[in-house]
């Protein structure tokens, strides 16, 4: 079983995607977006270790949860362990949302060298991609910090080979 390096958990959230969600914050982020609301997640040191099984054990305690959100830090810097978590969560009928500072296209490019990035994408229902850009910051946006970030239907995008946007 893989190990996750996390900065934190939120056991019940309504702001990190639709419905009641469990949120894991990856420890470590290479993007360092100015005005990021989670700069404590940037260092690849620190945080705490846990396993996907321990996260799922916490999730099943709350029958009202509908989904799992992978946030950060940068969840794709731990794509293998995050894939394990997402696979187990999907098997328990939770939907998966992931936030990333990479674009969908960058992730596909990176998956040529690191296959677990593609396997993680295949487990994600909705991807909110792109770096947080202060000049595009808006409090009017649902589930995003800046208007350059896209809400992507990952399965439809992988099938079509191009980004398919989704409204939430």
């Amino acid at each position: 079983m893989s190990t996750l390096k996390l900065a934190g958990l939120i056991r019940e959230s309504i702001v990190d995607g639709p419905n009641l969600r469990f949120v894991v914050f990856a420890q470590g982020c290479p993007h360092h977006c100015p005005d990021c609301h989670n700069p404590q997640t940037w260092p690849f040191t620190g945080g705490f270790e846990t396993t996907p099984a321990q996260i799922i054990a916490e999730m099943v305690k709350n029958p009202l949860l509908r989904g799992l959100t992978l946030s950060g830090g940068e969840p794709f810097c731990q794509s293998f362990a995050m894939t394990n978590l997402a696979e187990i969560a999907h098997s328990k009928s939770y939907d998966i949302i992931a936030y990333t500072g990479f674009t969908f296209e960058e992730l596909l490019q990176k998956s040529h060298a690191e296959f677990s990035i593609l396997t993680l994408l295949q487990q994600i229902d909705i991807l909110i991609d792109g770096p947080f850009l202060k000049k595009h910051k808006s409090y009017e946006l649902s589930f995003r910090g800046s208007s350059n970030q896209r809400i992507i239907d990952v399965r439809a995008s992988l099938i079509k080979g191009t980004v398919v946007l989704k409204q939430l």
Side-chain angles (χ1 to χ4, degrees):
M1 181 60 68
S2 59
T3 301
L4 296 156
K5 182 94 167 177
L6 301 181
L9 304 169
I10 296 178
R11 287 173 171 77
E12 295 182 355
S13 173
I14 58 169
V15 298
D16 298 294
N19 302 310
L20 191 61
R21 314 191 65 75
F22 194 96
V23 184
V24 298
F25 294 91
Q27 182 69 48
C29 182
H31 306 296
H32 299 184
C33 301
D35 280 3
C36 168
H37 73 280
N38 291 328
Q40 72 280 5
T41 66
W42 294 356
F44 284 90
T45 58
F48 63 94
E49 293 185 350
T50 188
T51 66
Q54 289 171 315
I55 297 295
I56 298 299
E58 287 295 313
M59 290 180 70
V60 299
K61 291 177 183 175
N62 185 345
L64 299 177
L65 289 175
R66 294 293 172 259
L68 170 67
T69 297
L70 311 177
S71 190
E74 176 53 64
F76 282 89
C77 287
Q78 301 181 52
S79 55
F80 180 76
M82 290 290 179
T83 298
N84 290 337
L85 175 59
E87 286 173 341
I88 298 169
H90 254 156
S91 75
K92 304 280 185 193
S93 299
Y94 296 109
D95 64 80
I96 313 294
I97 292 177
Y99 286 82
T100 179
F102 296 109
T103 64
F104 180 77
E105 294 85 352
E106 289 171 328
L107 290 172
L108 287 179
Q109 184 64 35
K110 291 172 73 63
S111 73
H112 296 296
E114 190 174 343
F115 188 71
S116 60
I117 289 174
L118 181 59
T119 58
L120 180 54
L121 279 172
Q122 291 168 335
Q123 291 297 320
I124 294 170
D125 299 295
I126 296 170
L127 182 72
I128 299 172
D129 81 337
F132 170 76
L133 296 177
K134 183 177 178 179
K135 67 182 178 183
H136 295 295
K137 179 179 180 178
S138 173
Y139 293 110
E140 304 297 318
L141 302 168
S142 296
F143 310 120
R144 305 179 281 163
S146 58
S147 61
N148 63 296
Q149 296 172 312
R150 302 175 295 182
I151 300 174
I152 298 171
D153 182 327
V154 177
R155 290 209 175 118
S157 298
L158 290 173
I159 290 169
K160 287 192 166 194
T162 187
V163 169
V164 176
L165 298 179
K166 185 170 181 88
Q167 294 289 325
L168 293 181

